[in-house]
Amino acid sequence: MTKRIGVIAVLLVAVLALGLAGCAQQPSASTAKVLKVGAETTFPPFEFQDEKTKEYTGFDIDLMKAIAKQMGYEMQIQSMGFDALIPALEAGQIDVIASAMTITEERAKKVTFSKPYYKSGLSIVVKSDNNTIKTFKDLEGKRIAVQIGTTGADEAKKIKDAKVREYNSTSEAFLELKAGGVDAVVNDLPVNQYYLAQGGAKDAKAVGEILNAEEYGIAIAKKNKDLADKVNNALEEIKKNGEYDKIHEKWFGKKMQ
Ligand code: GLN
């Protein structure tokens, strides 16, 4: 009996020692695997800098944190222009793109997209006192501001005789609208809604039908098949365990889909 207790005691000490050793290792971030996430970080509410803390925040940021954690990685954001993201991924400077990036055929030739993670679409924003633009058709011949390299830019370029001006960020496009340099902004619906809700509605409004056939995906380099599988598995897992819904609710309120 005493011998048995002795054995148990020794085992307990061993387990404790191992546990402590494990704890001691955890805080050294250098041993954790890092997932480099590329994003254009002026696209609220998906990715932007918190004014006070200067930390990156938003739906995509929270989503990627959850996905990285699920995969056993730490996430690190690398901020760059939207049109620089795919080249950076191809060059191996980043591991994934999470930047409200719409899954398109054109992009899918260059990158592997995860399963869709957010349904989106495009919409039009004009100045509050504009009563002539009510539909995409009304944009014919008009000056339209867009963000460079986006689906909004592609759509605007399809409009007859439109003068499309491309800006590095959506906020610059909105500033140009405010300044009267353009007649409209064509951009992702949830981002337009957020802009209007955050004060933009003082002198701008949303008009027209919504083109809602877009879905966002996480992009992974074509050669990185393993990573694409891991990202998809993690995404599926956080959808199952309720984490995705929590993040969605935090940024958009209760899910309606
Ligand atoms: N969803 C749009 C696109 O993929 C815009 C994305 C963005 O500006 N971050 O083109």
Side-chain angles (χ1 to χ4, degrees):
M1 193 62 186
T2 43
K3 208 173 174 191
R4 243 214 188 146
I5 290 172
V7 170
I8 290 172
V10 167
L11 278 176
L12 263 178
V13 168
V15 165
L16 267 176
L18 275 177
L20 282 176
C23 286
Q25 259 167 24
Q26 251 175 17
S28 62
S30 57
T31 57
K33 288 178 281 179
V34 173
L35 189 71
K36 285 187 244 157
V37 179
E40 191 283 303
T41 51
T42 61
F43 209 61
F46 292 95
E47 38 271 324
F48 59 107
Q49 229 171 350
D50 184 294
E51 273 172 31
K52 283 196 203 105
T53 65
K54 301 287 170 220
E55 303 238 341
Y56 293 122
T57 183
F59 177 80
D60 287 349
I61 307 288
D62 284 348
L63 185 79
M64 279 320 297
K65 265 188 208 156
I67 287 177
K69 192 167 164 219
Q70 184 68 36
M71 288 165 49
Y73 283 75
E74 256 174 40
M75 183 195 67
Q76 189 191 84
I77 294 290
Q78 302 218 353
S79 180
M80 61 189 81
F82 191 74
D83 55 344
L85 288 167
I86 290 183
L89 187 71
E90 287 179 313
Q93 287 156 11
I94 48 177
D95 301 312
V96 302
I97 300 169
S99 198
M101 184 172 270
T102 302
I103 300 171
T104 67
E105 248 177 69
E106 198 57 31
R107 290 174 183 156
K109 284 180 198 153
K110 296 184 187 156
V111 304
T112 302
F113 278 107
S114 70
K115 296 252 164 60
Y117 70 85
Y118 188 89
K119 275 200 169 60
S120 190
L122 296 173
S123 75
I124 308 168
V125 177
V126 296
K127 277 204 161 173
S128 309
D129 57 5
N130 183 316
N131 291 313
T132 53
I133 300 172
K134 295 197 173 73
T135 64
F136 273 89
K137 179 110 180 86
D138 296 334
L139 289 174
E140 288 182 2
K142 296 285 192 290
R143 300 165 304 166
I144 308 170
V146 295
Q147 185 183 1
I148 195 162
T150 60
T151 47
D154 291 344
E155 199 58 37
K157 285 175 193 166
K158 284 188 210 155
I159 297 166
K160 200 168 151 262
D161 299 329
K163 294 167 202 70
V164 181
R165 308 229 175 113
E166 299 183 273
Y167 296 88
N168 280 324
S169 68
T170 301
S171 41
E172 286 168 73
F174 284 130
L175 275 178
E176 196 58 28
L177 178 71
K178 206 173 181 154
V182 291
D183 305 299
V185 171
V186 172
N187 182 47
D188 292 26
L189 170 75
V191 176
N192 289 343
Q193 283 173 331
Y194 191 85
Y195 169 74
L196 293 172
Q198 295 294 308
K202 277 198 291 273
D203 45 28
K205 63 181 177 185
V207 291
E209 72 275 45
I210 292 156
L211 305 183
N212 58 1
E214 297 195 16
E215 287 180 315
Y216 297 160
I218 299 157
I220 302 116
K222 280 249 191 255
K223 55 177 183 280
N224 228 343
K225 169 102 182 57
D226 250 25
L227 187 62
D229 291 343
K230 277 192 197 155
V231 167
N232 270 326
N233 290 339
L235 179 61
E236 204 181 306
E237 196 49 47
I238 63 162
K239 278 193 169 174
K240 263 196 234 148
N241 71 15
E243 189 88 9
Y244 177 96
D245 286 347
K246 258 194 241 156
I247 298 170
H248 194 281
E249 204 174 320
K250 172 176 166 190
W251 293 101
F252 304 104
K254 278 249 181 287
K255 212 168 155 213
M256 302 210 288
Q257 306 155 25

